[in-house]
Every structure is written in C-alpha cells, then in structure tokens.
Amino acid sequence: MNLPPDYHMHTHLCRHATGTATEVAAHAVKLGFTEIGFSEHCPMPRDDWDEWHIHQRDLDTYLAQVEQARRDYPSLIIRLGLEVDFIPGQEDWVRQLAARAPWDYFIGAVHYVSDTWALDNPYALDEWKRRDVDEVWAEYFRRQTLAAESGLFEIIAHPDLCKKFRFYPKNDPAPLYEKFVNALRQHDVAMELNTAGLRKDCQEIYPSAALVRIAAQAGVPVTFGSDAHAPGEVGAAFAQALTLAKDSGHTQTCRFNQRKRELIQL
Ligand SMILES: [Zn+2]
Ligand SMILES: [Zn+2]
C-alpha cells in the first residue's frame, strides 16, 4: 500500500517546531513518501497575537524554504499549504493570505474558542477548569462548522482537538459531529485524520472513530496529517490512521493542487 500524502507538517519558523522544509522533506523521502505538503501556522493579523504563529515577515522565508525543498528533492511532490486559524470575523485576513502565494490548500483550524483562549495551549490549562466542558465542545464544533461553511478551506484540521487534555463532555457529542460533517459534505471540504493526538494526553487520533465513521457514511473524504513539529515526526502512525480510515468505511483520500481537489483510492 502506498503512503497517502502527509499534508500537515511544520517548520522551525513557527517558533515551536524544529527543522527546515528541506530537512522535513529528507525524512519523508527516507520513509518512502511520494507526496507531502507543508502547512505552517499562518501569520496572524498582529505579530504579538501569541507565541506560536509565524511572524508576518517570515511568510516569504517560508515560501522560499518550500521552494528550496522542491529543488533539493525534485522526485518528491511537495505541496504548499498553510494551517490557517479560523476565528469568526477574521475572514478577510484569510482572504488576504490566500492572495499572497500560489497555495495548494488551506487547512482550516480551530484552536481559539474565544478571542484570547486557544484550548490546546498547555499554558492555559486552567481555563478548562473555569469553563463548562460541554459548552467548550459545543463552541469548538460551532466554529469548525462555520469554518467548513466559509469556503476558505479545503481541509479542516484535527476535528476534535478539544479532547486533547481529556476534558470530555457529559452530553453525547454525536449531534455536533453530524452538523459538522453535513457542512463538510455540502461545501466539499475534506476532514483531516491527524495522528498528533496519539502523542498527547488523549492518546487517540483526531478525530475519534465515531466521527471518522460518520464522515465515511456521508461520503466526506479524509486527508492524513502527522502534524509533525520535527522531521522525525513525519508520517508518524500513518499505518494506524490508514487502518482507522479503512475500518470506518473510507475508500478515498484527496490530493490538492492549486486549491483543486482530486479524489484517489486508498
Ligand atoms: Zn504547532
Ligand atoms: Zn493545529
């Protein structure tokens, strides 16, 4: 079985990952990948937004590093993507970013469930204890559903990141899943299987098997992402992610080129 593209990987430019694009690509070649894509954390409207997005002045460096990796590994297909935070009200900023480069795809990602709280930030764990977990999950999925409907993204990232620290809702989340998957289906947006969850407290791929199944039943295709923050994490647990996808009824994945989607057999 061929490895599906790893479409979620970072570089040192986001200040909490290591490796240049070339170093990441080298690792992908070693593992036998034929296609990968970078999806660095987007610049935010203000550089002092937080500590983990790339600075606006580094966007050109990012583009140049991906170009360099393409030159260094001409046999590897390297897509140019961006992991873009979805924050309601910032849609124009996302459109400005889209006009900045010949992107192959944008991965829409919800980390912020308010203007100031990114729920996956380990330094803001206390905020979880101040809040109602069911409300946080509902807001997380509400924002993700809006992201899917926005037309700004080809893929939605790590769809149940809200489980990262094992704060689970009392209510059955299935209705949140259904609504989200409906939006994905209606707007031809793919859902990411992100193996980083296996390396976090929740010790589970994002999203849960239940959500992967609902997507398969709705005909929503998946993409695969290691969310590598170091060259050695490229392709991490892809065998497990592939098994999850197939066992859940998925038969296809997608490739992206210049923001156009092509479905391929798994
Ligand atoms: Zn990151
Ligand atoms: Zn993310």
Side-chain angles (χ1 to χ4, degrees), residues 134-202:
D134 283 275
E135 279 173 21
V136 174
W137 276 61
E139 180 61 12
Y140 190 81
F141 274 92
R142 189 185 74 84
R143 288 182 176 223
Q144 230 170 206
T145 302
L146 287 174
E149 291 166 349
S150 70
L152 297 169
F153 310 112
E154 281 71 37
I155 306 166
I156 299 295
H158 43 60
D160 61 0
L161 182 66
C162 41
K163 75 182 171 193
K164 177 177 176 181
F165 299 117
R166 305 184 58 86
F167 293 100
Y168 295 106
K170 286 196 255 341
N171 301 332
D172 179 4
L176 304 175
Y177 297 169
E178 297 278 358
K179 221 170 156 191
F180 168 57
V181 166
N182 249 324
L184 293 171
R185 183 178 52 76
Q186 282 174 11
H187 297 269
D188 286 333
V189 180
M191 185 178 84
E192 177 185 74
L193 299 199
N194 182 312
T195 60
L198 292 165
R199 312 193 288 273
K200 310 296 181 190
D201 292 353
C202 59

Side-chain angles (χ1 to χ4, degrees), residues 10 14 16 41 52 83 227 229:
H10 297 275
C14 64
H16 62 282
H41 292 290
W52 52 273
E83 179 178 11
D227 213 339
H229 281 67

